[in-house]
């Protein structure tokens, strides 16, 4: 590969720019592989990285894209060889080092996960970090949440929320409440497996107290803020909350009472630095549930057409998942 296309962001003297550039491959470092990228996908972090004041990128220029899937075309690793299909999510990809919005990328050997047999590179990126995060939360929830317990999923129309609902339904959970303001998504969320769809205000008590009536077995939350605070007061004795995001803010105004009087657990879900054994197991878990991909809303865009979906994510008007195919057709 002599040259390749990439979506790059730059910032010089506080002047921000983004767009397609032509790049040339650099010498491959030891214990790295070079990947011909088939697909990436767009996450909220990618949208922030692609904006002037997103607070994600520290050093410019940079190629965003925290996910990629493709084929190894060069290797300086004893463990990986040319022709293997692989995927990479998290670590410093697209943040501290160049990422997946590129036709070609070099990554350290320890970041690689072999593509599960049940998945294509496209399907892996339909799941992407959003699906991976949802799977991390769901596999932990499975350990102590009864199948008939009420599970609340906030940010239900987003990537994490929608995959979580589909997984829970497929695993036999029968009481799933989706929290979403998007009226247009009600039918879709029901098709995924939600048994009730409510707006945030509808699931909060009239007066949020340190302890409200117990009526929720578990929460998968990607919103945070006041909504999370209100939900904590309603968790059943011994219930759990899995924190996956902060779309509603990073502040949490609550008390210790739900934790010390009801024994609830609040578990942070980090998708970036997951230990390799758990990372592999989680991707295999997703692969075993490959059929649910047909239920997920996704659109496919070309690398050269990233501006519109990035802006939609930042504006809060984006729906489902967007995958990025690298071939210029």
């Amino acid at each position: 590969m002599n040259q390749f296309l990439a979506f790059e962001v730059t910032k010089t003297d506080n002047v921000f720019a983004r767009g397609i550039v032509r790049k040339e491959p650099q010498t491959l470092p030891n214990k790295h592989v070079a990947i011909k990228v088939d697909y990436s996908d767009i996450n909220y972090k990618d949208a922030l990285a692609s904006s002037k004041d997103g607070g994600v990128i520290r050093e410019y220029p940079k190629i965003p894209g925290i996910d990629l899937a493709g084929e190894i075309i060069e290797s300086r690793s004893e463990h990986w060889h040319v022709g293997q299909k692989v995927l990479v999510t998290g670590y410093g990809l697209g943040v501290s080092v160049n990422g997946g919005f590129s036709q070609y990328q070099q990554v350290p050997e320890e970041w690689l996960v072999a593509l599960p047999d049940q998945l294509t590179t496209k399907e892996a990126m339909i799941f992407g970090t959003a699906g991976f995060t949802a799977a991390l939360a769901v596999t932990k929830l499975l350990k102590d949440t009864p199948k008939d317990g009420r599970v609340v999923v906030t940010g239900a129309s987003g990537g994490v929320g929608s995959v979580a609902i589909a997984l829970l339904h497929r695993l036999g959970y029968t009481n799933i409440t989706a929290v979403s303001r998007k009226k247009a998504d009600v039918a879709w969320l029901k098709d995924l497996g939600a048994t009730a769809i409510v707006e945030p205000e509808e699931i909060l008590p009239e007066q949020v107290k340190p302890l409200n009536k117990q009526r929720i077995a578990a929460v998968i939350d990607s919103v945070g803020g006041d909504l999370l605070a209100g939900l904590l007061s309603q968790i059943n004795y011994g219930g759990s909350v899995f924190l996956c995001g902060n779309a509603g803010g990073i502040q949490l105004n609550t008390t210790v009472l739900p934790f010390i009087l009801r024994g609830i657990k609040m578990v942070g879900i980090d998708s970036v630095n997951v230990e390799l054994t758990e990372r592999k197991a989680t991707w295999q878990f997703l692969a075993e549930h490959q059929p649910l991909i047909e239920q997920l809303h996704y659109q496919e865009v070309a690398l050269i057409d990233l501006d519109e979906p990035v802006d939609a994510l930042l504006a809060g008007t984006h729906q489902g998942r967007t995958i990025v195919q690298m071939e210029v057709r």
Side-chain angles (χ1 to χ4, degrees):
M1 182 176 292
N2 296 321
Q3 286 190 330
F4 60 94
L5 298 181
F7 180 86
E8 187 175 72
V9 294
T10 61
K11 193 173 185 180
T12 306
D13 297 329
N14 210 36
V15 177
F16 177 85
R18 70 186 190 199
I20 298 297
V21 296
R22 289 191 176 274
K23 309 282 283 187
E24 293 189 359
Q26 303 298 307
T27 301
L28 187 64
N30 190 36
K31 297 186 178 181
H32 280 59
V33 303
I35 300 170
K36 180 182 180 296
V37 182
D38 295 335
Y39 287 92
S40 182
D41 61 84
I42 305 177
N43 300 279
Y44 188 62
K45 183 182 284 188
D46 300 316
L48 291 175
S50 303
S51 63
K52 180 179 179 180
D53 299 315
V56 173
I57 304 296
R58 297 288 186 266
E59 296 181 359
Y60 294 87
K62 196 73 70 196
I63 299 170
I66 63 173
D67 300 339
L68 64 81
E71 181 177 330
I72 297 175
I73 59 174
E74 184 182 358
S75 176
R76 294 196 64 194
S77 167
E78 296 179 0
H79 309 291
W80 299 93
H81 58 78
V82 172
Q84 282 186 281
K85 295 283 189 176
V86 295
L87 61 89
V88 184
T89 62
Y91 298 108
L93 192 72
V95 178
S96 59
V97 303
N98 287 328
F101 292 170
S102 178
Q103 294 177 322
Y104 167 99
Q105 200 49 267
Q106 299 177 353
V107 298
E109 62 180 2
E110 63 268 21
W111 291 6
L112 299 174
V113 171
L115 186 72
D117 291 339
Q118 302 97 318
L119 295 178
T120 65
T121 52
K122 178 177 179 177
E123 290 168 340
M125 292 296 94
I126 293 173
F127 281 131
T129 283
F132 182 65
T133 302
L136 287 168
V138 168
T139 51
K140 290 175 172 58
L141 179 149
L142 287 172
K143 296 175 182 178
D144 57 11
T145 303
K147 294 290 178 71
D148 60 351
R150 186 188 189 192
V151 180
V152 173
V153 180
T154 69
S157 297
V160 175
S162 58
V163 176
I165 291 168
L167 283 170
L168 289 167
H169 177 66
R170 187 174 170 84
L171 291 163
Y173 282 83
T174 58
N175 190 354
I176 305 168
T177 298
V179 183
S180 175
R181 294 187 187 280
K182 297 181 179 179
K183 301 292 188 183
D185 289 345
V186 168
W188 172 54
L189 292 171
K190 287 183 177 179
D191 286 343
L192 289 178
T195 50
I197 295 94
V198 300
E199 294 195 14
E201 293 79 11
E202 296 178 83
I203 201 167
L204 296 178
E206 290 186 9
Q207 181 182 359
V208 176
K209 304 175 183 177
L211 294 175
N212 286 98
K213 184 177 180 180
Q214 300 177 50
R215 54 181 187 150
I216 299 170
V219 175
I220 295 178
D221 176 63
S222 57
V223 176
D226 292 340
L227 177 59
L228 173 60
L231 293 173
L232 286 173
S233 70
Q234 303 175 72
I235 305 298
N236 296 349
Y237 189 91
S240 303
V241 180
F242 302 91
L243 307 186
C244 303
N246 60 330
I250 62 172
Q251 301 299 322
L252 182 58
N253 182 20
T254 189
T255 74
V256 300
L257 294 187
F259 303 94
I260 63 175
L261 297 183
R262 291 181 177 170
I264 74 169
K265 298 181 290 294
M266 188 157 60
V267 182
I269 303 297
D270 169 52
S271 64
V272 176
N273 295 302
V274 180
E275 189 270 331
L276 186 58
T277 300
E278 184 179 9
R279 187 178 290 270
K280 290 178 179 178
T282 304
W283 275 106
Q284 187 56 44
F285 173 79
L286 282 171
E288 291 166 1
H289 296 285
Q290 181 272 349
L292 67 78
I293 284 178
E294 296 182 3
Q295 299 176 272
L296 302 179
H297 279 182
Y298 75 91
Q299 62 173 332
E300 182 174 328
V301 300
L303 177 64
I304 59 176
D305 296 322
L306 280 178
D307 281 326
E308 184 176 341
V310 162
D311 290 341
L313 261 169
L314 293 171
T317 58
H318 185 267
Q319 182 189 57
R321 302 279 295 136
T322 294
I323 61 172
V324 186
Q325 62 89 8
M326 298 301 153
E327 182 182 352
V328 178
R329 299 169 181 172

